[in-house]
Each structure stands twice: as C-alpha cells, then as structure tokens.
C-alpha cells in the first residue's frame, strides 16, 4: 500500500462519526471495553465491534486482554497526536460525546485502594507512572523491568528488589508487571514488587486501610514520601 493509499484509509476510518467518537473517548489514555465504547457512540454492541475491528486492523487501536475482558486503547502517541489535530480543525468536534465513567462510583475507592495485594486507583497509577517517567521501571504490556536507578530508589525507601529476585524457582511470582486499573484504565504496578510496595506502605503508615472496604487513605507522611522521594503527582490523590 502506498503512502497516499494509507493516508486515505486512515482518513476514511477516522472521519466516520461513530469511529471518531470512539477514538475521542480513548484520548485520555484509558483502555475501554467494546460495551463502554458502544454506549459512548450510542450504537449497538455488534455495530461497535465492527468499527473496533476496522480500527484495530488499521493500526489505530490495540487490544489488551485481561481476564474475560478485552480492552481497547489508542495504539500509540502518534495516533493520539493525529486525532488531536483532527479534533482541532473538525467543525463537529463539539458534538463528540463525553468519555464514560469507569470503575467504582465510590470516591475513596477511585482515589486509592488495594487490588489483591498491591495498590490501585489514582494512587497506584500515579506510583507506576512516576517510576516509569523517572526511568526507574520499564513496563510493557505483559511485564516489566527494574532499572539500576529503580533498585537504588526502592532500596532507599525499604524495598529490597534483589531479595525479591533471589532464589526464584520455577513457579516464583513475576517480579514486576502492569495490571490494568479498573477505574483509571491505566496500569498500576503488580507482581512481587507491587505487593512489597503495598505491604511496606501499610507497615510504615504511608497509607491506612478504611474499615469495611478495600479503600486506603494516604497519610500526610505518605504524601510527603511519595511526592519527594518517588516523584508522585498527587493531584486527586
């Protein structure tokens, strides 16, 4: 396919109103299910699936499987930049539907909670993003690596990454992996490292559990440490 033909194909796909609404709904970086995108675009699930298949085949979307759910997200930053440019000049940009609310309605659960044995919600995602943007952790779709700087930083706060990787047998737990957050639809940190960070945060009083719920509250001490040592952006946390 020539560059001109490729351009025409993408322009045609992105120009369709239903697909444009779906792409717009993914512009905040979250991953959404076909059902959620169908509701945003006000089409049936079957119609949405057809549109999503075409967008994925064209390389505009990627699909992530987690449990029994399939999540769709923009394939790359280049795709997001293209959509943003289209939105700036499109006369109908104001007609695009708002993005859907995902995850729990409870504000405390959305802010910070445990996901099995690791931290989730806005706090969990902010921790993961700070470690990645600082070059301390590298997360892919199905795994992660801790850089030397990350090992030093984590050791500074009390997480011994070397100990987590020592004597790892055949069935040892993976050290570091992304877990797609239920409410934020961005990855938080799971695996042995995520569990160790969660346990340390509870033990040191950086977060405390709320009775009768999975929600946790970030303490003043925790806010200071997460901000000053890890570089977490605490807006909304």
């Amino acid at each position: 396919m020539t560059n001109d033909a490729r351009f025409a194909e993408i322009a045609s796909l992105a120009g369709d109103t239903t697909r444009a609404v779906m792409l717009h709904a993914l512009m905040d970086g979250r991953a959404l299910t076909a059902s959620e995108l169908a509701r945003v675009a006000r089409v049936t699930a079957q119609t949405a699936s057809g549109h999503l298949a075409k967008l994925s085949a064209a390389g505009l979307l990627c699909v992530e499987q987690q449990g029994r759910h399939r999540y769709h997200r923009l394939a790359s930053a280049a795709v997001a930049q293209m959509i943003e440019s289209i939105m700036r000049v499109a006369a109908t940009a104001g007609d695009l539907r708002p993005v859907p609310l995902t995850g729990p309605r409870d504000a405390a659960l959305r802010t910070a909670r445990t996901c099995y044995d690791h931290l989730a919600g806005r706090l969990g995602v902010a921790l993961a993003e700070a470690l990645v943007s600082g070059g301390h952790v590298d997360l892919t779709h199905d795994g992660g690596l801790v850089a030397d700087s990350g090992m030093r930083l984590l050791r500074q706060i009390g997480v011994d990454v070397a100990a987590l990787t020592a004597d790892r047998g055949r069935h040892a737990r993976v050290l570091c992996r992304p877990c797609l957050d239920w409410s934020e639809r961005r990855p938080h940190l799971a695996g042995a490292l995520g569990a160790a960070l969660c346990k340390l945060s509870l033990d040191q009083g950086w977060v405390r559990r709320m009775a009768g719920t999975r929600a946790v509250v970030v303490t003043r001490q925790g806010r200071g440490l997460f901000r000053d040592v890890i570089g977490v952006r605490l807006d909304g946390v």
Side-chain angles (χ1 to χ4, degrees):
M1 181 181 293
T2 66
N3 287 338
D4 287 345
R6 174 67 172 159
F7 174 80
E9 177 193 26
I10 292 176
S12 175
L13 287 169
D16 177 271
T17 301
T18 298
R19 294 170 198 152
V21 169
M22 290 178 169
L23 291 169
H24 174 257
L26 297 168
M27 278 294 289
D28 62 0
R30 292 186 299 172
L32 300 174
T33 65
S35 296
E36 290 165 340
L37 289 166
R39 286 195 293 272
V40 171
R42 300 174 188 172
V43 296
T44 66
Q46 183 177 6
T47 298
S49 295
H51 286 300
L52 292 170
K54 292 179 179 179
L55 291 170
S56 298
L60 300 182
L61 298 182
C62 61
V63 182
E64 184 175 341
Q65 184 84 32
Q66 184 154 306
R68 61 187 180 87
H69 296 293
R70 286 165 56 86
Y71 296 93
H72 300 77
R73 68 167 70 250
L74 297 182
S76 66
V79 172
Q81 291 169 3
M82 178 196 72
I83 296 169
E84 185 176 9
S85 297
I86 293 173
M87 287 165 58
R88 282 200 298 264
V89 300
T92 59
D95 296 331
L96 296 175
R97 279 63 159 184
V99 296
L101 178 69
T102 55
R105 295 184 179 275
D106 185 275
L109 284 172
R110 297 179 67 84
T111 300
R113 64 182 183 274
T114 55
C115 174
Y116 184 48
D117 61 357
H118 49 272
L119 294 170
R122 282 193 286 270
L123 173 62
V125 171
L127 283 166
E129 290 181 344
L131 290 170
V132 170
S133 63
H136 307 304
V137 172
D138 181 23
L139 289 179
T140 63
H141 287 301
D142 56 1
L145 294 172
V146 182
D148 290 342
S149 65
M151 296 183 72
R152 292 191 296 271
L153 175 67
L154 291 163
R155 189 184 307 117
Q156 178 183 345
I157 65 173
V159 177
D160 188 348
V161 178
L164 296 177
T165 59
D167 301 323
R168 295 176 60 81
R170 179 178 178 184
H171 300 292
R173 186 177 187 180
V174 64
L175 173 64
C176 177
R177 68 173 180 83
C179 181
L180 188 62
D181 195 87
W182 175 32
S183 53
E184 295 301 294
R185 299 300 171 84
R186 298 180 179 88
H188 56 245
L189 197 62
L193 179 56
L197 186 56
C198 179
K199 183 178 185 302
L200 180 67
S201 297
L202 288 165
D203 291 346
Q204 295 296 319
W206 301 335
V207 301
R208 58 178 175 80
R209 296 186 185 277
M210 295 180 64
T213 177
R214 289 192 294 120
V216 298
V217 175
V218 185
T219 65
R220 179 179 296 181
Q221 180 187 10
R223 282 178 173 273
L225 182 132
F226 293 146
R227 180 190 63 238
D228 299 336
V229 178
I230 303 179
V232 172
R233 296 179 181 177
L234 294 172
D235 295 342
V237 177

